[in-house]
Amino acid sequence: MKISYNWLKQFLKTDWSAEKTGELLTDLGLEIEGIESYQSVKGGLEGIVVGEVLTCEQHPNADRLKLTTVAVGTDEPLQIVCGAPNVAAGQKVPVATIGTTLYTETGEAWKIKKGKIRGEESHGMICAEDELGLGKSHDGIIVLDPKIKVGTPAADIFDVENDHVFEIGLTPNRADAMSHYGTARDLKAGLLQKDINTELITPSVSSFHVDSRTLKIDIDVEDYELAPRYCGLTITGLKVEDSPNWLQNRLKAIGLTPKNNIVDITNYVLHELGQPLHAFDAAKIIGKKVIVKTLPEGTKFTTLDDVERELSAEDLMICDAEKPMCIAGVFGGVHSGVSEGTTSIFLESAYFNPVSIRKTAKRHGLNTDASFRFERGIDPNITDYALKRAALMIVDIAGGEISSDALDFYPKKIEDFQVRLSFDNAKKLIGEEIPRETIKSILSSLEIKVNNVTEAGLGLTVPAYRNDVQREADVIEEILRVYGYNNIKTTEKLNASISNTSKFEDYKLQNVIGNQLTAQGFFEILSNSLTTPKYVELSAQLKEEHNVEMLNPLSNDLGVMRQSLLFSGLEAVSYNINRKRDNLKLYEFGKTYHNYKDGREEYKHLSIFLTGNKSDLRWNSPIQKSDFFYLKGIVNSTLERLGISKFKVSPIKNDVFSEGISLSLEKTKLVEFGIISKKILKHFGISQEVLFADFNWDNVISMTKHNSIMFKAIPKYPEVRRDFALLLDEHITFEEIDKIAMQTEKQLLKDVDLFDVYQGKNLPKGKKSYAVSFVIQDENKTLTDKQIDKIMNKLQANFEKQLGAELR
């Protein structure tokens, strides 16, 4: 938000420098992000002086040029070649001397230099309006009042305005400071703490009166929930033209482009008082009636930017008897605005429901100065005052007369907030006791009324425009920011306590696994918990009725809380792949949110995404793609790091995974992982295979707490490996082999592993070959061949008996 210092000083008389004022505003919570210099004429006419044309003769070598001598207050007059048709001897003119910098209409700088034009020297330039930035005319040079003294700086004549503009990083809660008046109000409170008591000057509307009642336009507000207050009046006989220079300079300083006097005045009052206004061409209001209402879903409406939009049934509209004219509080319509031919207007000033305006603005992708203020909550009590202020300015600048009463529809007054402040609570939160008289002084300077005073605290009435101050803590924050955070002393004694926390705390285990995954080449991502409600259509596992919907969504695509980390993760995968980052290892700790019949629930998850190659291309290693078994190893190592090594494996059959398995412990599901189905990947524009693991982190932590980790010494005696090549039916799984082996030899068999699978030529139909290794070890002595053979024979016998296996 831009604030003009000259404009600010119309409300508050101060001789402080802009830099010093900026520091105080920052201390008050209105952070100054930068201070820019502004000049109504770029360059400030520096180097431009008043000259007198002493002689003016025809250029000897050019028909359209004149050779002049011009006195500029120096010892010798200057010879200047001039091409203006109206230059003549005896004129007082603005002269750009050697070294002066002038600017083109686009802001490009160029410097006046000594030169020769058609063989004659020229030591400056006699200037036209557009060359100085004083206008657009280039018909001839500017001829000044002959009484002006030669050598007078042009800046003294043309009243160049120099200003400083504050760029304020306004936080969303400070709706009260969205204007020059609101900023001045804060500044006054801050100056008071510096023992500088200045009066806050407000524009007077005491001269407001109705000149006639010749143009009455009725107002009908159909929904007072969406438009709690609506005011309007008419003005006739006005003339639409350019605004006076002072008004244009005010708007230009804060980055606005002047349009015409009517639009400029509404913009001026908006930035002056924080109250958006809108002027309608009264001749275009059919039926002489303004209706504030919503329209049917899908109604077409063309806004000022010539874009046809489809309205929502929730959009509040300003209509006449037949058609919509304006999206209330957001954007005007192309067919009802003020134009050069406008001679009468209907001037609107209103307070609209902030939530409704925000939804409408986001729905249509619009962000205007009006919606910026309405959606944060303006002052409902200055609606009528701002209307009269603008009406008086219009009559003064554009002429005409006020031709109707100021109608004010305000059926239910928006009440101020009643808050009780405890002195003890203020001391606890601030960390220091502020004198009670100082507290009362600060509150009064912020227009917070003190109703009653007791030994324990204060009874307060907070004005309705301070919608961010409704609790005791908010009031204490107001006291502290005006008193000054820097004025609160730091205690010399530091108190701290040591808490006894469990090693199974969520954040500790999260750090352990996060570090492990990072060491394995993964990158952590953080995605938005808000997502589109359309994602429930991608999987039958998600239900629309389980969506936790936002009451005030930022946009249609961020309307619900996510039910799964899958889709937000795939957004990140797609984003990276589209930028040529095809090899990805990502993980995320996050929550999912669900709306069940019994209430809302949230669960914490760890998600892992793999796609592309395991590692970057290297000269000394072949390319290996990330596959299901690589992901399985990551999942297993994650669980093993937490001490969970034994779990039940079950296949998954759903529309999320084309292939997948689930790991459980004691009937508690820990993780599901596998290959994401192509249907889901297609929705995100992903053509390569993506692997996904979804840990139920709450369950993992629960199982980790019940798991006891045993430590033992590494055995001294060697282990022995033996292999079997088993011919099996193709439906038999390795899990069955592992289970039989472990039941056959529970003490000495340490590990079973599958290292080769073969199906095809030279094998009977329906058969496959598994190459299985067995690791045998006695921790107390060295095994003999007899013991090893006995174990292997038992294994072979059981495989043959239970699986119908054959040794190849």
Side-chain angles (χ1 to χ4, degrees):
M1 183 182 71
K2 293 183 182 292
I3 294 292
S4 158
Y5 195 30
N6 288 350
W7 197 344
L8 197 64
K9 287 190 283 188
Q10 289 181 199
F11 294 99
L12 211 60
K13 301 301 180 186
T14 174
D15 56 359
W16 275 26
S17 68
E19 290 75 16
K20 191 175 180 181
T21 303
E23 290 175 4
L24 179 55
L25 287 172
T26 298
D27 289 343
L28 290 167
L30 302 179
E31 183 181 358
I32 303 300
E33 297 179 340
I35 303 177
E36 298 176 355
S37 295
Y38 169 79
Q39 293 175 313
S40 57
V41 178
K42 192 164 185 179
L45 298 181
E46 187 175 345
I48 313 295
V49 297
V50 175
E52 182 177 5
V53 182
L54 301 178
T55 64
C56 180
E57 300 174 354
Q58 183 66 43
H59 193 293
N61 302 317
D63 294 338
R64 296 186 179 183
L65 298 178
K66 301 290 179 64
L67 191 63
T68 66
T69 55
V70 183
V72 293
T74 56
D75 294 340
E76 296 291 332
L78 305 176
Q79 177 173 293
I80 298 175
V81 176
C82 181
N86 64 330
V87 65
Q91 292 174 336
K92 295 286 180 68
V93 293
V95 178
T97 56
I98 300 297
T100 299
T101 300
L102 297 180
Y103 298 86
T104 65
E105 287 186 7
T106 59
E108 186 178 348
W110 60 285
K111 188 172 286 189
I112 301 295
K113 299 178 181 178
K114 175 183 175 181
K116 280 190 177 184
I117 303 176
R118 293 292 183 92
E120 296 293 335
E121 289 189 357
S122 184
H123 297 265
M125 187 175 80
I126 305 174
C127 301
E129 271 188 13
D130 63 335
E131 292 165 336
L132 296 180
L134 296 172
K136 298 179 181 178
S137 173
H138 195 69
D139 296 336
I141 60 170
I142 300 173
V143 179
L144 303 172
D145 189 332
K147 297 178 182 178
I148 300 175
K149 184 180 178 181
V150 171
T152 302
D156 296 345
I157 301 169
F158 293 106
D159 193 25
V160 177
E161 180 169 351
N162 294 293
D163 197 359
H164 290 89
V165 180
F166 301 114
E167 182 67 47
I168 297 180
L170 193 69
T171 52
N173 64 308
R174 291 303 309 277
D176 63 295
M178 293 186 296
S179 64
H180 285 77
Y181 175 68
T183 304
R185 182 170 49 208
D186 248 27
L187 184 58
K188 178 183 184 299
L191 289 172
L192 191 61
Q193 293 306 304
K194 306 288 185 182
D195 295 325
I196 302 173
N197 194 356
T198 58
E199 181 185 359
L200 188 60
I201 304 167
T202 55
S204 173
V205 295
S206 58
S207 61
F208 177 86
H209 65 279
V210 179
D211 298 301
S212 68
R213 293 178 173 82
T214 56
L215 180 58
K216 182 184 178 184
I217 293 181
D218 295 324
I219 298 173
D220 181 11
V221 181
E222 293 188 1
D223 192 336
Y224 280 109
E225 289 295 323
L226 299 182
R229 189 174 190 183
Y230 194 88
C231 305
L233 55 76
T234 63
I235 303 174
T236 57
L238 53 81
K239 184 178 181 181
V240 178
E241 56 188 2
D242 288 341
S243 299
N245 287 334
W246 71 265
L247 178 53
Q248 291 194 40
N249 288 338
R250 284 284 178 265
L251 298 180
K252 287 178 180 177
I254 59 174
L256 296 182
T257 303
K259 304 292 185 184
N260 58 57
N261 49 8
I262 306 303
V263 174
D264 291 349
I265 288 169
T266 60
N267 283 332
Y268 181 88
V269 173
L270 180 149
H271 289 276
E272 178 186 52
L273 302 176
Q275 171 66 54
L277 304 167
H278 192 74
F280 299 90
D281 188 328
K284 298 175 182 176
I285 300 177
I286 298 173
K288 301 302 178 187
K289 188 172 186 179
V290 169
I291 307 171
V292 185
K293 63 180 181 178
T294 56
L295 294 175
E297 185 79 28
T299 301
K300 306 289 186 181
F301 179 68
T302 303
T303 46
L304 277 171
D305 54 0
D306 283 323
V307 175
E308 185 179 76
R309 304 177 188 275
E310 282 195 10
L311 301 177
S312 164
E314 296 180 356
D315 293 335
L316 185 66
M317 302 296 295
I318 311 299
C319 309
D320 60 19
E322 294 183 2
K323 66 182 186 304
M325 300 187 295
C326 173
I327 302 178
V330 180
F331 211 24
V334 71
H335 300 301
S336 62
V338 173
S339 62
E340 291 182 0
T342 299
T343 58
S344 60
I345 63 169
F346 172 77
L347 187 62
E348 164 198 280
S349 178
Y351 176 87
F352 296 118
N353 183 290
V355 174
S356 170
I357 298 301
R358 181 166 179 79
K359 285 183 176 180
T360 295
K362 293 299 179 185
R363 188 179 295 119
H364 296 289
L366 295 169
N367 183 21
T368 61
D369 284 338
S371 68
F372 178 83
R373 285 158 178 80
F374 276 128
E375 66 190 28
R376 284 161 174 77
I378 62 171
D379 185 355
N381 296 319
I382 65 164
T383 312
D384 182 55
Y385 168 71
L387 179 70
K388 293 176 179 177
R389 165 67 170 158
L392 288 173
M393 288 186 68
I394 290 172
V395 171
D396 181 50
I397 293 172
E401 61 179 20
I402 297 172
S403 51
S404 76
D405 292 314
L407 301 178
D408 185 0
F409 291 84
Y410 195 18
K412 185 178 180 181
K413 187 177 185 299
I414 296 175
E415 298 295 335
D416 295 335
F417 308 110
Q418 303 299 319
V419 182
R420 181 75 186 171
L421 172 67
S422 163
F423 291 130
D424 286 341
N425 289 342
K427 180 181 177 181
K428 289 177 183 177
L429 281 179
I430 294 172
E432 183 176 307
E433 185 169 8
I434 297 176
R436 297 183 179 186
E437 289 304 315
T438 301
I439 289 177
K440 288 190 283 185
S441 172
I442 290 172
L443 294 174
S444 297
S445 68
L446 294 172
E447 299 183 2
I448 297 175
K449 184 180 178 182
V450 179
N451 297 323
N452 55 74
V453 183
T454 66
E455 279 299 313
L458 305 173
L460 306 171
T461 298
V462 181
Y465 67 80
R466 289 309 306 269
N467 51 41
D468 62 321
V469 184
Q470 300 183 30
R471 306 169 302 164
E472 181 185 48
D474 300 328
V475 174
I476 295 171
E477 182 184 4
E478 290 297 293
I479 295 168
L480 182 54
R481 72 177 182 83
V482 176
Y483 181 74
Y485 291 99
N486 295 335
N487 294 326
I488 303 299
K489 298 181 181 64
T490 303
T491 59
E492 296 179 358
K493 183 180 179 182
L494 180 64
N495 296 323
S497 59
I498 299 174
S499 60
N500 182 21
T501 60
S502 168
K503 63 181 179 180
F504 298 111
E505 290 290 337
D506 185 353
Y507 75 94
K508 289 185 178 181
L509 297 181
Q510 186 172 315
N511 287 339
V512 167
I513 297 304
N515 289 337
Q516 175 168 307
L517 290 172
T518 301
Q520 291 172 328
F522 283 80
F523 289 92
E524 184 173 11
I525 61 173
L526 295 172
S527 55
N528 200 340
S529 296
L530 299 175
T531 190
T532 173
K534 294 181 180 179
Y535 281 156
V536 299
E537 300 171 6
L538 298 179
S539 172
Q541 310 301 308
L542 308 180
K543 304 295 182 184
E544 186 176 355
E545 60 267 24
H546 294 164
N547 276 334
V548 178
E549 297 182 353
M550 303 301 295
L551 295 177
N552 186 20
L554 297 172
S555 70
N556 293 335
D557 289 336
L558 299 173
V560 300
M561 306 290 280
R562 64 185 174 192
Q563 291 190 50
S564 170
L565 269 64
L566 171 61
F567 305 114
S568 55
L570 286 178
E571 288 174 357
V573 171
S574 175
Y575 183 90
N576 280 274
I577 290 175
N578 290 338
R579 284 154 183 79
K580 305 299 182 183
R581 296 183 61 88
D582 303 328
N583 306 321
L584 299 172
K585 295 180 179 181
L586 308 175
Y587 73 94
E588 177 180 13
F589 288 96
K591 290 188 176 182
T592 60
Y593 307 86
H594 311 268
N595 187 21
Y596 298 132
K597 290 183 179 179
D598 298 333
R600 293 174 179 170
E601 299 284 347
E602 62 180 62
Y603 305 106
K604 191 165 186 177
H605 292 256
L606 164 62
S607 63
I608 292 176
F609 294 87
L610 281 170
T611 187
N613 300 329
K614 295 180 183 178
S615 60
D616 293 332
L617 183 63
R618 293 286 185 271
W619 68 271
N620 60 349
S621 60
I623 295 176
Q624 288 185 312
K625 285 196 171 295
S626 298
D627 55 18
F628 177 85
F629 297 102
Y630 180 57
L631 176 61
K632 181 182 178 183
I634 297 294
V635 170
N636 286 345
S637 66
T638 299
L639 293 175
E640 287 172 2
R641 181 63 182 87
L642 297 173
I644 303 174
S645 56
K646 294 183 179 180
F647 31 72
K648 181 182 177 182
V649 180
S650 306
I652 296 175
K653 294 182 180 179
N654 60 37
D655 55 2
V656 172
F657 298 106
S658 58
E659 294 180 49
I661 60 175
S662 170
L663 304 184
S664 305
L665 181 62
E666 298 177 3
K667 297 183 180 180
T668 300
K669 186 180 293 183
L670 301 178
V671 58
E672 291 183 344
F673 63 94
I675 303 170
I676 300 175
S677 70
K678 290 183 179 180
K679 177 186 174 183
I680 292 177
L681 295 180
K682 183 178 179 181
H683 180 84
F684 293 89
I686 301 173
S687 57
Q688 64 190 61
E689 186 178 83
V690 180
L691 299 122
F692 171 60
D694 180 21
F695 290 82
N696 187 317
W697 190 249
D698 296 320
N699 290 346
V700 170
I701 290 179
S702 175
M703 291 296 101
T704 302
K705 289 179 179 179
H706 298 303
N707 183 60
S708 57
I709 299 175
M710 302 293 292
F711 296 91
K712 58 182 180 180
I714 297 175
K716 300 177 183 179
Y717 300 97
E719 61 184 31
V720 176
R721 170 175 163 160
R722 292 287 187 268
D723 300 336
F724 274 162
L726 300 173
L727 186 65
L728 303 160
D729 292 337
E730 61 182 4
H731 65 82
I732 294 173
T733 65
F734 171 72
E735 183 183 9
E736 295 176 84
I737 296 173
D738 181 70
K739 185 177 180 180
I740 293 171
M742 289 300 179
Q743 289 176 345
T744 301
E745 179 52 60
K746 297 180 180 179
Q747 292 184 350
L748 301 181
L749 184 60
K750 302 301 182 184
D751 189 29
V752 182
D753 192 21
L754 176 66
F755 63 90
D756 187 41
V757 178
Y758 176 73
Q759 283 180 285
K761 190 176 179 181
N762 299 326
L763 290 184
K765 187 177 180 181
K767 296 289 186 176
K768 62 182 176 182
S769 174
Y770 271 8
V772 184
S773 67
F774 303 90
V775 176
I776 306 167
Q777 184 182 45
D778 190 332
E779 297 178 3
N780 300 312
K781 61 182 179 180
T782 301
L783 288 168
T784 64
D785 288 340
K786 187 177 180 180
Q787 289 176 297
I788 297 169
D789 291 340
K790 183 179 179 181
I791 293 172
M792 297 306 294
N793 290 335
K794 286 173 61 179
L795 289 172
Q796 179 182 344
N798 284 340
F799 291 150
E800 291 173 350
K801 180 180 178 182
Q802 298 182 41
L803 301 178
E806 298 178 27
L807 285 183
R808 292 187 65 202

